[in-house]
Amino acid sequence: MIDRIQTSITRRGLIAGAATMAAALAGCSGGQGAAGGSSAAAGSASDGGARTLRVAMELAYPPFETKDDAGNPSGVSVTFMQDFADAYGYDLQIDNISFDGLIPSLQTGKADAVMSSITITPEREEEVDFTDPYAMAQLAILAGADSGVGQAEDLNQADKTVAVKTGSTGDVYATKNLANAQILRLADESACVTEVAQGRADGFLYDQLTIYRNNLANPDTTRAVFIPFQDPEAWGIAVASGNDELREELNAFIAESKENGEFDRLTEQYLADEKAAFDELGFRWFFDFDDADAEGTAEADA
């Protein structure tokens, strides 16, 4: 069920020139909306009022997408989308939708965009359009303390059970590479963690931050395995296929955010401790775009 929540988050500071941009774009239309309409987002006001931007998230992945103590949307993605909405003259609406319903919400016109820590994959690109990457993540393993798992290959055995969140890239990896294991698909990451912590699963595949945080929460029953077993994953914001206007606005804001300290502010607000831990462990940070640009240049020169 969709838990529709209107947000009214105070913006921490508009990007330079945002007021002028918002005024210029307030009455713009063009491109294909989620339901095949002509506007970038639903609810454009004919009297020049703010356009409504409906963004779908699964509010179950702190600190990126979650709820505060009062039950309101909160987290990195929520604040980022509020900042974008303020800059471009949108009235933001957050819809809390289960992970497997996020892409369908775009295809059926129930949402204009999805920002929910979604990895850009070729399969998903056949269903929706993605923005440029706004974050990079790496898969890791939350292993049972007594599982004997020290690397991904150790899970590829008939006597091993691998917990994955249904539809996640961990699910995709396990399906393609751990065919000998028993794959346990569950609706959310907390259920996967419970299976490992209680000894019913030998490992859980998910991003490094989730594995790091849940190992800290369950130090006696789990171990974190951070040995890389695939390339970093790029996260993007999804829009309905053909909604070029909204995608281009989002791309412009992502590019601006990389330059003006937006991602540094989000890190300080929500992820300061995790950033310090990642630096100590030598992990690539979610918003380490310099490395991404360097890798892209190296590939182009190869």
Side-chain angles (χ1 to χ4, degrees):
M1 178 179 294
I2 296 176
D3 176 15
R4 182 157 292 180
I5 311 170
Q6 289 294 126
T7 61
S8 57
I9 303 171
T10 301
R11 194 185 193 284
R12 293 170 290 104
L14 296 175
I15 64 172
T20 300
M21 187 178 298
L25 292 169
C28 288
S29 62
Q32 292 299 308
S38 61
S39 62
S44 294
S46 60
D47 61 357
R51 302 167 292 172
T52 298
L53 178 67
R54 302 165 301 173
V55 179
M57 303 180 183
E58 183 186 43
L59 300 176
Y61 179 45
F64 284 90
E65 302 93 24
T66 187
K67 297 179 182 179
D68 63 19
D69 293 340
N72 297 314
S74 179
V76 174
S77 299
V78 175
T79 301
F80 182 88
M81 288 307 307
Q82 184 64 58
D83 290 350
F84 167 76
D86 289 345
Y88 280 81
Y90 287 108
D91 183 9
L92 179 63
Q93 175 179 302
I94 301 294
D95 292 345
N96 184 19
I97 300 179
S98 62
F99 191 83
D100 60 1
L102 291 172
I103 287 179
S105 74
L106 291 174
Q107 297 171 320
T108 58
K110 294 180 179 178
D112 302 302
V114 168
M115 187 177 186
S116 199
S117 304
I118 294 182
T119 300
I120 302 170
T121 67
E123 294 80 9
R124 289 169 180 163
E125 287 182 307
E126 292 179 359
E127 299 181 299
V128 295
D129 290 343
F130 281 95
T131 63
D132 297 333
Y134 68 86
M136 303 296 291
Q138 189 102 30
L139 284 180
I141 305 168
L142 185 70
D146 300 321
S147 66
V149 172
Q151 57 185 346
E153 290 81 359
D154 295 337
L155 291 168
N156 195 25
Q157 302 178 36
D159 63 345
K160 297 297 185 185
T161 298
V162 182
V164 296
K165 180 176 178 177
T166 302
S168 68
T169 49
D171 185 357
V172 173
Y173 179 89
T175 300
K176 291 181 178 179
N177 299 283
L178 304 177
N180 295 325
Q182 301 297 314
I183 300 176
L184 178 61
R185 295 178 174 86
L186 299 169
D188 60 73
E189 55 266 26
S190 62
C192 295
V193 171
T194 297
E195 291 299 306
V196 174
Q198 296 185 358
R200 294 189 293 269
D202 298 286
F204 166 43
L205 306 183
Y206 219 59
D207 69 86
Q208 287 179 328
L209 177 60
T210 297
I211 300 307
Y212 169 77
R213 290 164 67 96
N214 283 287
N215 174 234
L216 287 182
N218 301 277
D220 297 328
T221 56
T222 68
R223 291 187 301 106
V225 179
F226 294 117
I227 300 173
F229 51 90
Q230 71 173 91
D231 293 334
E233 303 174 339
W235 291 356
I237 302 170
V239 301
S241 297
N243 192 350
D244 295 333
E245 181 184 342
L246 180 56
R247 183 174 58 83
E248 290 169 5
E249 289 178 346
L250 287 163
N251 277 340
F253 189 74
I254 290 170
E256 183 73 18
S257 296
K258 292 177 180 180
E259 299 295 331
N260 69 6
E262 171 85 357
F263 290 110
D264 292 334
R265 292 191 293 272
L266 292 171
T267 296
E268 181 62 28
Q269 183 175 357
Y270 294 105
L271 293 158
D273 291 342
E274 290 81 359
K275 176 64 165 63
F278 270 44
D279 287 346
E280 182 177 349
L281 292 167
F283 294 165
R284 174 177 178 168
W285 185 239
F286 285 93
F287 308 130
D288 190 350
F289 302 109
D290 289 338
D291 284 354
D293 293 340
E295 289 173 6
T297 301
E299 291 175 0
D301 292 340

